[in-house]
Amino acid sequence: MLIRIIIGSLIVINCFLSGQLRVGFDTSGEFKMAYDGDSETYDAESGIVIGYDVVAQDQDGLKFGVGGEYMIGRGIEEIGEGTASFHSVYGFGKYSLNDKAYGFGRVGYNLHTGDDDYVSDDVELEGGMMYAFGGGFSMTPKISIEGLFANHSGKAIINLGSGYDDATFKLTYTRISVGLVYTL
């Protein structure tokens, strides 16, 4: 529900500012779980990410703004049937290297969600910080292609029952994505 409100707000804000709609495809991803000093890394399935950025300040090739990203759930190969997602809200900076090429960075917060097969009644998911960086190339004044590396963090808190402390797993999802950007 919170993601819908944020995305809706960003779209309304676009009436006053310039914005970009992004669709990305994660070509690779790793899901790392850490608990009590031990960690395991699992491969994540490829998936789609939809985002929207609003440019708040644009001067001399440097742009600043805010954005949001909705990640369609993806499975984690060794962890069963469920799908997990990280939905992000972030601030970004974008620097034009020349008329066609640019680099960017994002930093923000993500919500960690999962379907009923990923999360049971005894598991509580928490979000965490996210960051991403990458570059792009303008094919036309309105359409660009981008590549990025992103890192999302969160937690899974498992209730072990009365008499036991909850187990907290630190989760990190890293991905490499290729995307298409349409400037409104």
Side-chain angles (χ1 to χ4, degrees):
M1 179 68 176
L2 179 63
I3 291 297
R4 290 181 184 153
I5 292 170
I6 292 169
I7 290 174
S9 299
L10 290 174
I11 291 171
V12 169
I13 290 170
N14 185 52
C15 295
F16 304 105
L17 304 169
S18 63
Q20 299 177 342
L21 182 62
R22 291 181 294 101
V23 177
F25 179 73
D26 293 348
T27 58
S28 68
E30 287 187 346
F31 193 82
K32 180 179 178 181
M33 293 177 54
Y35 176 73
D36 200 25
D38 294 326
S39 66
E40 292 283 332
T41 302
Y42 306 100
D43 290 330
E45 295 175 355
S46 298
I48 303 291
V49 177
I50 300 167
Y52 186 79
D53 295 339
V54 176
V55 177
Q57 185 174 5
D58 181 1
Q59 64 186 123
D60 298 330
L62 188 58
K63 297 179 183 181
F64 293 101
V66 296
E69 196 169 68
Y70 180 82
M71 181 183 294
I72 295 174
R74 69 244 6 242
I76 301 157
E77 292 182 4
E78 295 87 354
I79 302 185
E81 301 289 323
T83 60
S85 302
F86 289 91
H87 312 296
S88 305
V89 177
Y90 52 81
F92 71 88
K94 184 175 174 181
Y95 181 72
S96 296
L97 301 170
N98 57 37
D99 291 345
K100 299 280 186 185
Y102 59 88
F104 62 87
R106 300 179 190 142
V107 68
Y109 184 81
N110 55 232
L111 302 172
H112 181 203
T113 63
D115 65 8
D116 289 341
D117 291 329
Y118 181 73
V119 180
S120 66
D121 292 337
D122 297 332
V123 177
E124 178 186 339
L125 300 179
E126 290 185 1
M129 297 300 295
M130 66 79 59
Y131 66 88
F133 58 88
F137 182 80
S138 299
M139 298 182 331
T140 71
K142 295 260 185 204
I143 297 175
S144 303
I145 56 172
E146 287 184 345
L148 72 84
F149 170 83
N151 182 295
H152 304 269
S153 61
K155 293 180 183 176
I157 301 168
I158 301 171
N159 181 349
L160 299 175
S162 63
Y164 296 99
D165 290 336
D166 293 346
T168 301
F169 289 83
K170 293 182 181 180
L171 308 171
T172 305
Y173 176 61
T174 57
R175 63 188 174 96
I176 296 174
S177 185
V178 176
L180 189 62
V181 179
Y182 180 75
T183 303
L184 305 172

